[in-house]
mmCIF file of all heavy atoms in Angstrom:
data_model
loop_
_atom_site.group_PDB
_atom_site.id
_atom_site.type_symbol
_atom_site.label_atom_id
_atom_site.label_comp_id
_atom_site.label_asym_id
_atom_site.label_seq_id
_atom_site.Cartn_x
_atom_site.Cartn_y
_atom_site.Cartn_z
ATOM 1 N N HIS G 78 54.536 156.695 123.352
ATOM 2 C CA HIS G 78 55.299 157.350 124.462
ATOM 3 C C HIS G 78 56.723 156.951 124.596
ATOM 4 O O HIS G 78 57.522 157.791 125.102
ATOM 5 C CB HIS G 78 54.487 157.063 125.705
ATOM 6 C CG HIS G 78 53.087 157.637 125.746
ATOM 7 N ND1 HIS G 78 52.009 157.138 126.536
ATOM 8 C CD2 HIS G 78 52.628 158.807 125.045
ATOM 9 C CE1 HIS G 78 50.835 157.818 126.237
ATOM 10 N NE2 HIS G 78 51.229 158.874 125.375
ATOM 11 N N HIS G 79 57.065 155.741 124.338
ATOM 12 C CA HIS G 79 58.409 155.257 124.639
ATOM 13 C C HIS G 79 58.988 154.652 123.434
ATOM 14 O O HIS G 79 60.159 154.412 123.315
ATOM 15 C CB HIS G 79 58.358 154.338 125.756
ATOM 16 C CG HIS G 79 57.891 154.678 126.899
ATOM 17 N ND1 HIS G 79 56.445 154.456 127.244
ATOM 18 C CD2 HIS G 79 58.336 155.341 127.993
ATOM 19 C CE1 HIS G 79 56.147 155.140 128.454
ATOM 20 N NE2 HIS G 79 57.358 155.546 128.852
ATOM 21 N N MET G 80 58.351 154.579 122.199
ATOM 22 C CA MET G 80 58.781 153.941 121.127
ATOM 23 C C MET G 80 59.318 152.521 121.473
ATOM 24 O O MET G 80 60.373 152.152 120.915
ATOM 25 C CB MET G 80 59.624 154.722 120.278
ATOM 26 C CG MET G 80 59.035 155.904 119.703
ATOM 27 S SD MET G 80 60.044 156.985 118.725
ATOM 28 C CE MET G 80 60.355 156.075 117.254
ATOM 29 N N LEU G 81 58.649 151.828 122.322
ATOM 30 C CA LEU G 81 58.965 150.432 122.630
ATOM 31 C C LEU G 81 57.782 149.540 122.139
ATOM 32 O O LEU G 81 56.580 150.048 122.168
ATOM 33 C CB LEU G 81 59.138 150.246 124.069
ATOM 34 C CG LEU G 81 60.508 150.647 124.667
ATOM 35 C CD1 LEU G 81 60.634 150.537 126.164
ATOM 36 C CD2 LEU G 81 61.618 149.824 124.114
ATOM 37 N N PRO G 82 58.000 148.249 121.913
ATOM 38 C CA PRO G 82 56.978 147.453 121.322
ATOM 39 C C PRO G 82 55.933 147.067 122.440
ATOM 40 O O PRO G 82 56.258 147.004 123.626
ATOM 41 C CB PRO G 82 57.689 146.133 121.006
ATOM 42 C CG PRO G 82 59.180 146.431 120.963
ATOM 43 C CD PRO G 82 59.266 147.636 121.950
ATOM 44 N N TYR G 83 54.676 147.051 121.952
ATOM 45 C CA TYR G 83 53.627 146.316 122.804
ATOM 46 C C TYR G 83 53.021 145.315 121.831
ATOM 47 O O TYR G 83 52.881 145.461 120.670
ATOM 48 C CB TYR G 83 52.684 147.209 123.424
ATOM 49 C CG TYR G 83 51.696 148.117 122.526
ATOM 50 C CD1 TYR G 83 50.506 147.736 122.149
ATOM 51 C CD2 TYR G 83 52.153 149.299 122.050
ATOM 52 C CE1 TYR G 83 49.685 148.402 121.406
ATOM 53 C CE2 TYR G 83 51.325 150.087 121.300
ATOM 54 C CZ TYR G 83 50.081 149.684 120.854
ATOM 55 O OH TYR G 83 49.198 150.379 120.140
ATOM 56 N N PHE G 84 52.569 144.153 122.295
ATOM 57 C CA PHE G 84 52.217 143.072 121.371
ATOM 58 C C PHE G 84 51.075 142.243 122.109
ATOM 59 O O PHE G 84 51.083 142.203 123.308
ATOM 60 C CB PHE G 84 53.380 142.316 120.982
ATOM 61 C CG PHE G 84 54.132 141.744 122.199
ATOM 62 C CD1 PHE G 84 53.805 140.349 122.676
ATOM 63 C CD2 PHE G 84 55.163 142.432 122.732
ATOM 64 C CE1 PHE G 84 54.457 139.967 123.739
ATOM 65 C CE2 PHE G 84 55.894 141.899 123.902
ATOM 66 C CZ PHE G 84 55.571 140.728 124.329
ATOM 67 N N GLY G 85 50.338 141.651 121.363
ATOM 68 C CA GLY G 85 49.283 140.807 122.006
ATOM 69 C C GLY G 85 48.233 140.339 120.957
ATOM 70 O O GLY G 85 48.566 140.063 119.760
ATOM 71 N N LYS G 86 46.934 140.266 121.424
ATOM 72 C CA LYS G 86 45.894 139.756 120.535
ATOM 73 C C LYS G 86 44.792 140.774 120.316
ATOM 74 O O LYS G 86 44.422 141.484 121.254
ATOM 75 C CB LYS G 86 45.384 138.453 121.202
ATOM 76 C CG LYS G 86 46.325 137.365 121.495
ATOM 77 C CD LYS G 86 46.630 136.536 120.358
ATOM 78 C CE LYS G 86 47.497 135.401 120.721
ATOM 79 N NZ LYS G 86 48.164 134.741 119.549
ATOM 80 N N ALA G 87 44.170 140.742 119.188
ATOM 81 C CA ALA G 87 43.102 141.627 118.913
ATOM 82 C C ALA G 87 41.819 140.519 118.612
ATOM 83 O O ALA G 87 42.142 139.560 118.108
ATOM 84 C CB ALA G 87 43.237 142.445 117.640
ATOM 85 N N HIS G 88 40.753 140.936 119.219
ATOM 86 C CA HIS G 88 39.483 140.127 119.118
ATOM 87 C C HIS G 88 38.394 141.138 118.516
ATOM 88 O O HIS G 88 38.181 142.170 118.981
ATOM 89 C CB HIS G 88 39.054 139.573 120.345
ATOM 90 C CG HIS G 88 40.206 138.942 121.192
ATOM 91 N ND1 HIS G 88 40.846 137.958 120.912
ATOM 92 C CD2 HIS G 88 40.588 139.358 122.357
ATOM 93 C CE1 HIS G 88 41.782 137.667 121.678
ATOM 94 N NE2 HIS G 88 41.611 138.477 122.916
ATOM 95 N N ILE G 89 37.778 140.668 117.346
ATOM 96 C CA ILE G 89 36.935 141.671 116.657
ATOM 97 C C ILE G 89 35.527 140.882 116.635
ATOM 98 O O ILE G 89 35.496 139.647 116.205
ATOM 99 C CB ILE G 89 37.360 141.955 115.432
ATOM 100 C CG1 ILE G 89 38.744 142.717 115.534
ATOM 101 C CG2 ILE G 89 36.318 142.867 114.523
ATOM 102 C CD1 ILE G 89 39.330 143.180 114.157
#
Side-chain angles (χ1 to χ4, degrees):
H78 294 154
H79 305 91
M80 290 179 74
L81 280 174
Y83 66 94
F84 56 93
K86 306 275 188 194
H88 317 295
I89 299 175

